[in-house]
Amino acid sequence: MKILRKYKTNLIVSNIINIVLTVLTSFSIVYALIFTLGFDYSPIKILIFTFFAVIIYSIIFLNKLTLIITGISIGIVACSRLIYLIYKKTLFESLNALLTFLSWNYNYIYGYEGINNTYQDYTALFLIILVSFLVYIFTIKYFNFLVILCGGIIIFVIQWIMEYTISYVSFYLFVFLIIQYYFKYVYSKKGQEPANDYAVSGVFTIYVLPISFAVFIISFALPKSNNPIEWEWLDKQINKVYDFINDNFKYTSYDYFSFNSTGFGQDDDAKLGGKVRIDKTPVLKVETQKRIYLKGACRDFYTGYSWINSNNALNLLEDPSTLFNPDYLREIKNNVVENEHFYEILEPILGLNLFSDNNEPIENFMEENTVNITYLNLRTKTLFTPSKLLKLIFPSTMKPVIYTDNEGIFSSGQKLGKGFQYTLNTYDLKYSDNNFKDILRKSYTGLYNNMLSKYSSVLIKDINGDTIRINFDYIRRLSERAKQIYSKYIQLPEGLPQRVVDLAKAITSEKNNNFDRVKSIEEYLSNNYPYTLKPNPTPRGRDFVDYFLFDLKEGYCTYYATAMVILVRSIGIPARYVEGYMLPPEPVEEKIYEVTNQNAHAWVEVYFEGFGWIPFEPTAPFVYSFYNSSQYTGTISGSFYEDPYYLEYMEMLEMYAPSIFDRLPHLENQEAEDKGMSFGLFLIWTVIALLLILVLLLIINLSRSKYILNRIKRMSPKESVIAIVEHYIKILSAQGYPVAPGETPLEYAERINRYFVFEKYSYKGESIDSFTRRIRDVEELYKHSMFSKVMEIFIFARYSTAEITQNQKETALAFYDKLIAETKDSMGVIKYFIYRYILGRI
């Protein structure tokens, strides 16, 4: 009976502790998820609902009968509901409502929907029910430390990697609790050993609280670096393996180039933006005298959330080896060249001749370049080319069928794979040359119409210095082409917010020519919007550009380029969106660059009559390298800058624009402030948590002591005497005085009496003989003390078949107050308080 009663008591204590542990662990995970979702619920409210959920599970899993009853009840309710819905013919409506709820969750998580209060409540309730159930199962029913550990780690690590909003209250609480789980796990393993003298599970959990706090606080206080652990030798070996796999086994494959296929943005082509997956797969080897941009796609139609082509037709290119031939200009009237790429070279030649004040040779503004391109881990039909292309040359052993689309992008009839090579002859405009900028400022809308009214032909010098005549038919063709460009490339979506157009007009209001207007938009974007690869998604229903300019206010090249095209179009100037690759900041060998998917880029081309399509670079921090100018004030988003995942990418950015990092010392100060604030907040929450736990322990141990004493008092006299003496022995054992092996109850009582005597009557200067004689007299007195009488009653109750009287029971119980008083006196107030109210051992 005694063992059974002790077992029941221990079981109650253990269950209470396990329920508290389950509630707190469930709360830490549920609140972490709800906090990340942005639901506006107080922690207390979540804690209360979590507590009730755990209590309900405790009732359901109390025994097999309660589980069966619950299962049958749920089945009856579910079937009744199903029958009712079928009878009312609303089953499909209910299923549709469920799908709407699930759809809202998906869209809300990805940022396409706002808060719906009803769905928010359902989602929060579902998380509480699900998480509490799983934690209950793996804490109480089938204890599994690893499941709880891995589950929590997965949630918090994903939150950190994906840069979601994190509740540090939940995180710190979970870390502390997982230490408790670990000790509980160790206890469960050790407790299986055949012979042990461990405390019961619930009491053990309380014992390790101070240790858990010590581990938690020490680990938090230890100095640590934000940088990852670096082992140079190991890093080199891992990088070798990674590069080997990248170079030999990892391929990028697509029919036609898509910016999203390189790791930037969404997985499909439908939506612009989104977080970026860094992909270092080598795709191109480029040999060139200077860094260039290689076009892979060009889009003309903006939907409000994506770029598409209004015409996807492909045109066969009969002779790619000569895209521009000056002899075409000398041919018979009306035999006008229809090749779009011919005019890409003709227009800047014409404009430089018309607007150069000093009649400078055009080679001062255009420089020839030969580019050799080799495909590495890439399979695609797309051919990557710069803007101003003279020739496209293939090896004599390969003559692919070449097509071009309406945007001037080249492609092959079949996929081209690793080892494919081709050569480009180009003329590159010197965009950063101030004299060239002055000439561009003279371009204006209606130039070709004005020429048609004044001239029948124009004499110009071509790129070789030869004088040639551009006849009326070519001027007319240029005019018609310009008219088509104006009608096509100033398109804006119907739902574009007016404030976008107003912003474009405000930025350019003080400029008096098209070039300066476009340049002011480029500088406005690069100077005022921080660069990041971790932007938040554009909400569903919002215009991509409007959200970027007025709400998000940070992004990567897709955001800058799209915004610039739309702002330029808003003031009536044709512009188009371009995607491709920019060369790395440094060659791997002299004149040889290795392009990876992380070099994918988007930029802008703006149309100027007399010059054609001119590229612009609005993206911070690539303005610096594109224009080779240090007059740049772009910034990088702090959250992006501080993320170690992008450390290598940041090092690459620093090579593109060294000066951009000179403007980031405020980030270090802010980081120090944030650390100070977070540490202060941590200390506050730690103190609050400690106080709450202390209060909880006080309540538990005080209630537990009263419960034990009241339970003993309600027993029969015989059982009560045995139980109370066992309790006395436990109190004395906690002070270091357990029953010695082979010691009888009376001998034990005599030893304890002696202990109290020596504590009460200490030696104070009198002689040893005098002190010994006095103590001997007192010992004789204590042989018949109250505790000795209690032990005599205990022996009688334990080993005699006779009944114990009520008076004997009351005598045994009366010693409790004296024992507690003696214990408090001998231990001291502080130690007594800790042992009694914190550790629960007295």
Side-chain angles (χ1 to χ4, degrees), residues 483-709:
K483 187 183 297 183
Q484 293 172 357
I485 287 173
Y486 274 96
S487 65
K488 181 179 180 180
Y489 294 100
I490 58 171
Q491 170 268 338
L492 296 172
E494 292 183 2
L496 183 71
Q498 180 61 34
R499 62 179 180 175
V500 175
V501 178
D502 294 340
L503 177 63
K505 291 178 180 178
I507 295 170
T508 60
S509 60
E510 298 181 359
K511 307 301 178 182
N512 59 9
N513 63 81
N514 284 351
F515 174 76
D516 284 336
R517 293 187 185 103
V518 173
K519 198 68 181 172
S520 63
I521 291 174
E522 178 192 57
E523 292 173 353
Y524 175 82
L525 292 171
S526 63
N527 292 340
N528 293 286
Y529 293 85
Y531 184 83
T532 182
L533 294 184
K534 305 190 303 177
N536 293 323
T538 303
R540 187 177 295 275
R542 288 291 304 275
D543 182 87
F544 179 77
V545 171
D546 178 74
Y547 183 70
F548 167 64
L549 291 174
F550 297 100
D551 296 292
L552 182 61
K553 297 183 179 179
E554 63 178 19
Y556 50 87
C557 54
T558 299
Y559 294 80
Y560 291 90
T562 301
M564 181 172 177
V565 171
I566 299 307
L567 290 172
V568 170
R569 289 184 177 187
S570 296
I571 56 173
I573 300 175
R576 63 187 183 184
Y577 173 81
V578 185
E579 295 176 342
Y581 289 107
M582 59 180 176
L583 297 194
E586 293 182 353
V588 291
E589 299 177 26
E590 186 179 1
K591 299 181 182 179
I592 296 177
Y593 295 82
E594 185 178 85
V595 179
T596 70
N597 276 330
Q598 73 174 354
N599 299 121
H601 193 49
W603 62 97
V604 178
E605 287 185 346
V606 180
Y607 182 73
F608 294 88
E609 288 190 50
F611 297 92
W613 291 103
I614 302 297
F616 285 83
E617 176 56 273
T619 303
F622 304 115
V623 179
Y624 183 97
S625 60
F626 183 81
Y627 292 110
N628 194 25
S629 172
S630 59
Q631 295 179 347
Y632 168 61
T633 58
T635 59
I636 294 178
S637 171
S639 61
F640 172 58
Y641 176 78
E642 295 166 1
D643 193 331
Y645 174 74
Y646 297 101
L647 179 61
E648 189 173 349
Y649 190 87
M650 295 296 295
E651 292 174 351
M652 181 186 73
L653 289 185
E654 189 172 14
M655 290 189 283
Y656 276 114
S659 64
I660 195 171
F661 292 90
D662 296 338
R663 280 174 289 279
L664 292 174
H666 66 282
L667 291 176
E668 296 177 4
N669 297 334
Q670 184 64 41
E671 183 179 354
E673 286 182 22
D674 291 344
K675 282 184 178 179
M677 290 174 63
S678 63
F679 183 74
L681 187 63
F682 162 74
L683 288 178
I684 292 172
W685 278 107
T686 300
V687 171
I688 292 173
L690 282 170
L691 290 175
L692 288 174
I693 291 173
L694 284 174
V695 171
L696 181 63
L697 288 174
L698 283 171
I699 294 171
I700 290 175
N701 287 321
L702 188 59
S703 302
R704 178 172 168 270
S705 298
K706 289 184 177 180
Y707 169 76
I708 291 172
L709 197 59

Side-chain angles (χ1 to χ4, degrees), residues 54-65:
V54 173
I55 294 299
I56 290 171
Y57 289 133
S58 299
I59 295 171
I60 291 173
F61 290 97
L62 185 62
N63 51 50
K64 287 185 179 180
L65 180 60

Side-chain angles (χ1 to χ4, degrees), residues 77-136:
V77 171
C79 291
S80 301
R81 180 64 179 170
L82 181 61
I83 293 169
Y84 175 79
L85 293 175
I86 294 173
Y87 175 74
K88 289 290 187 178
K89 298 180 180 179
T90 56
L91 177 61
F92 289 105
E93 292 180 11
S94 299
L95 291 174
N96 188 51
L98 176 61
L99 292 175
T100 303
F101 168 66
L102 296 175
S103 176
W104 175 84
N105 272 275
Y106 176 85
N107 291 330
Y108 177 76
I109 289 170
Y110 282 94
Y112 307 140
E113 296 277 1
I115 284 287
N116 180 304
N117 291 331
T118 302
Y119 290 160
Q120 170 185 280
D121 293 340
Y122 288 155
T123 302
L125 185 61
F126 172 77
L127 289 174
I128 290 171
I129 292 171
L130 177 62
V131 173
S132 298
F133 173 75
L134 294 174
V135 175
Y136 177 87

